[in-house]
Amino acid sequence: MRTTIRGALAALALLPALALSALGAPAASAASAASPSPSASASGTPAPATKAGTSFLTAVNLSPNQDANVSVSTGDYLYWAFGAAEGQTPTVNLTVGLAPSADRHGPQTWSVEVFDGLRRRQACTAGTQNATAEQSAGSLALNCTLREVRTWAEPWSGDPLPGTYYVRLSVSDVPQPDLGLASSVQLHVAAKGDADNAQPEGGELKAPLVPPAGGGASTAKAAAPVAQEEHWYTGWFSGWNSRWYWTIGGGFLAALAGILGYRLTRHPRGHRPGHYGAVPSQGSHQSGHYTGSDRP
């Protein structure tokens, strides 16, 4: 009996502690939910990308307002992709952190290039595309400002159009022993203007140059494929065996034309043309005898 009473009193003594712990758990969970995560900023800007591609196919896609902060090796080709819409003027800014000067053996020259979705190199209207850092320098800056993205353009013009753009960073001149040294790259893409700033060109682009390879670079919806118009003669020029039909038919017509031409141009058999006259017989003349008009 005494043991039962002691157990009940101990349980009653634990009730306030259990109540306090129950009240403190929601408060702690609310506080943890309210605190921002280390990878996300208060303004909603995406975290910087920490990787770079080594070709156009493996280029890392950057979301709008997303930067890149990558640790690389000197001598590698680095690729990123971003989206641009009509009316915008994109600017690519790069800062390259070089290896310690004690580990380098001479100056380094870095280059930045921008390509459109068709992998055509786009000209820079402003900025430093090629920069050389001396051995004592710790970093160098590169930037490139593109032309304003147009709403449409002729295929031969090469003007920038809405779609995906690629940034390529490379080392164009570096001492051989410096290849492979650790470096760092910071990339920032800024764009001025919007669709309201686009110049009216009298045309409309149905779809971007190429569909973006990944999320974040999409700027327009791809147009639905247009069905090809068919005619009564469409089937004559399609199919893997259509060339054989045309070859056999052409050979037959050529042979028929040759036969008809021969029939029209050859002489009749066994007959000479009439304008030559009749040939006199050989027995009508005697040697040494002339009669009448046969005399010379």
Side-chain angles (χ1 to χ4, degrees):
M1 185 67 181
R2 292 179 180 178
T3 304
T4 305
I5 294 174
R6 290 177 180 176
L9 292 175
L12 292 174
L14 291 176
L15 285 177
L18 294 176
L20 291 176
S21 63
L23 292 175
S29 61
S32 61
S35 61
S37 59
S39 60
S41 62
S43 59
T45 304
T50 58
K51 294 182 179 180
T54 56
S55 66
F56 287 102
L57 298 179
T58 60
V60 174
N61 289 282
L62 301 177
S63 302
N65 300 323
Q66 185 182 18
D67 298 337
N69 193 353
V70 185
S71 298
V72 300
S73 297
T74 304
D76 291 344
Y77 280 84
L78 309 174
Y79 290 82
W80 295 272
F82 66 94
E86 61 271 10
Q88 292 183 345
T89 303
T91 300
V92 179
N93 299 298
L94 294 119
T95 302
V96 181
L98 303 175
S101 58
D103 299 335
R104 303 203 307 269
H105 298 79
Q108 297 183 3
T109 302
W110 292 67
S111 302
V112 60
E113 299 168 285
V114 182
F115 301 83
D116 62 8
L118 299 180
R119 301 181 186 178
R120 300 177 301 183
R121 182 178 177 179
Q122 292 294 322
C124 298
T125 59
T128 304
Q129 290 185 259
N130 302 282
T132 301
E134 299 298 332
Q135 185 175 355
S136 59
S139 63
L140 58 84
L142 298 167
N143 51 76
C144 173
T145 301
L146 298 178
R147 294 172 292 172
E148 180 181 329
V149 179
R150 299 182 55 182
T151 56
W152 76 286
E154 298 292 343
W156 49 261
S157 65
D159 292 335
L161 295 172
T164 302
Y165 286 80
Y166 297 93
V167 179
R168 180 170 71 184
L169 178 65
S170 60
V171 179
S172 57
D173 187 14
V174 63
Q176 188 72 19
D178 293 350
L179 293 176
L181 292 179
S183 305
S184 62
V185 177
Q186 295 180 356
L187 171 66
H188 175 71
V189 179
K192 296 189 299 182
D194 50 19
D196 297 334
N197 191 44
Q199 298 292 331
E201 301 288 350
E204 181 181 359
L205 187 68
K206 296 299 183 182
L209 294 182
V210 292
S218 178
T219 57
K221 296 182 179 179
V226 180
Q228 185 178 3
E229 186 178 359
E230 295 186 359
H231 303 279
W232 60 272
Y233 54 83
T234 302
W236 292 10
F237 300 94
S238 62
W240 65 271
N241 56 353
S242 61
R243 61 175 182 173
W244 295 108
Y245 298 152
W246 285 100
T247 302
I248 295 172
F252 175 77
L253 293 177
L256 182 60
I259 294 173
L260 293 177
Y262 177 76
R263 295 284 297 178
L264 294 174
T265 57
R266 74 181 182 86
H267 299 301
R269 291 183 179 180
H271 300 282
R272 292 179 179 271
H275 64 274
Y276 287 106
V279 179
S281 59
Q282 299 295 328
S284 60
H285 296 280
Q286 299 291 335
S287 60
H289 298 280
Y290 297 98
T291 58
S293 62
D294 292 337
R295 293 181 180 181

